[in-house]
Amino acid sequence: MAPRLLGELVARGTRSTVHAYGRGAVIKVPVPSTPEGWILAEAQYAEAARGAGAPAPRLLGVEEIEGRAASVWERVGGTSMWQLVVDRPDLSAALGQLLADVQHVLFELVPPVTLPRQRDRLVSKIRRAAATVDPSLGRALAFLPPPVGSPRLCHGDLHPSNVLLGRDGPVIVDWFDASRGDPIADVARSSVTLLNDGANPPEHLPGADPATLGVLTGAYLARLREHLEIDDDLLARWQAVSAVGRIAEGVARGPLLDVWSRFQSAAGVHAAAN
């Protein structure tokens, strides 16, 4: 059977576009720069997370569009959390708290063994950043915190654009970076995705002013501190190494390099004091 024609554009990301695809479905089509195999890997991770109890959309199949794999998903009614932030800035604090609650639900789940290890993914990204951007970024490997406790289900890229507010509750999309790992590392990763790019919001969170994003971020972290014991020094360490890892993803480097530089300066001061 020939693939259906692509319908209206539903969402646009850095790795793919999402289009309506028949009744009750959408199709995720990779952009040309997205590596081969990304769509298939994300489909596998999302199905594994959904099987573990995560609020992920149901995979309907995989088709070929212009010679490349494209994944077909059930269409979730509702709007993205980020669009609601843009439309209703007065709700930014409440939505930041909801983002934290959604993430904490994942941390309560046992991760499927088929998911990659969080540490392996981060090491790979740091090495790529060192090889393609600046060799000095490889120093971040020395600051990776040691593993503690049992690994939990981590989304790896949880921010408001990846949460859809459906009729039956929040649904999380874009599972490519899912892993088994440390919840504090996942919180750190989310916090660096919420950084402003100078006076502008990040590319994946368009349309809101930095003050609104700041309110959301503050409420998000405050609510997570109600759920988890978060040591400030450990969080800062995870944020620093996560920032270096994110540099390998081709996003704006400025805010990420600032996080890494501040951490290195503080670490140097601490080392001198000791």
Side-chain angles (χ1 to χ4, degrees):
M1 180 182 297
R4 303 181 183 92
L5 294 176
L6 300 184
E8 64 176 312
L9 180 68
V10 175
R12 183 186 301 276
T14 57
R15 293 168 171 160
S16 63
T17 57
V18 180
H19 300 260
Y21 201 63
R23 178 174 296 180
V26 295
I27 187 167
K28 178 178 283 190
V29 182
V31 300
S33 61
T34 297
E36 286 289 338
W38 178 88
I39 285 287
L40 297 177
E42 193 226 356
Q44 175 189 339
Y45 300 157
E47 279 292 275
R50 187 170 181 271
R58 184 163 59 96
L59 178 69
L60 301 179
V62 176
E63 297 196 4
E64 191 173 284
I65 302 294
E66 297 182 354
R68 304 191 74 195
S71 49
V72 183
W73 306 84
E74 65 175 340
R75 185 165 188 172
V76 179
T79 187
S80 79
M81 179 183 286
W82 184 246
Q83 188 58 53
L84 188 54
V85 172
V86 173
D87 294 342
R88 293 285 308 276
D90 57 303
L91 296 179
S92 57
L95 292 171
Q97 293 173 344
L98 178 59
L99 181 66
D101 292 341
V102 168
Q103 191 170 33
H104 186 251
V105 167
L106 299 185
F107 297 157
E108 296 290 294
L109 301 176
V110 177
V113 295
T114 53
L115 292 182
R117 291 201 317 160
Q118 180 188 63
R119 191 179 189 85
D120 292 343
R121 303 200 76 153
L122 191 49
V123 166
S124 177
K125 288 183 179 183
I126 291 171
R127 288 176 174 164
R128 194 181 320 138
T132 60
V133 178
D134 184 340
S136 71
L137 295 175
R139 297 172 188 161
L141 293 171
F143 289 100
L144 277 167
V148 294
S150 300
R152 312 309 299 174
L153 177 57
C154 297
H155 180 269
D157 195 30
L158 190 65
H159 54 70
S161 285
N162 283 340
V163 179
L164 303 180
L165 302 176
R167 291 185 298 271
D168 298 324
V171 177
I172 305 172
V173 299
D174 288 353
W175 286 87
F176 178 73
D177 288 298
S179 69
R180 298 171 285 136
D182 189 325
I184 306 304
D186 204 47
V187 173
R189 163 69 187 202
S190 289
S191 69
V192 299
T193 69
L194 297 172
L195 292 171
N196 290 307
D197 181 12
N200 303 310
E203 183 180 355
H204 56 280
L205 299 174
D209 62 276
T212 298
L213 187 55
V215 170
L216 183 145
T217 302
Y220 160 76
L221 289 172
R223 176 57 68 89
L224 276 169
R225 292 181 188 280
E226 297 176 14
H227 291 306
L228 306 170
E229 291 186 11
I230 299 179
D231 177 83
D232 287 342
D233 290 340
L234 180 61
L235 178 62
R237 189 170 172 179
W238 274 121
Q239 287 170 328
V241 295
S242 295
V244 174
R246 186 155 168 73
I247 288 171
E249 299 171 20
V251 298
R253 300 175 190 170
L256 302 171
L257 289 171
D258 287 345
V259 172
W260 173 238
S261 296
R262 287 196 300 270
F263 174 78
Q264 284 193 106
S265 297
V269 168
H270 292 163
N274 293 332

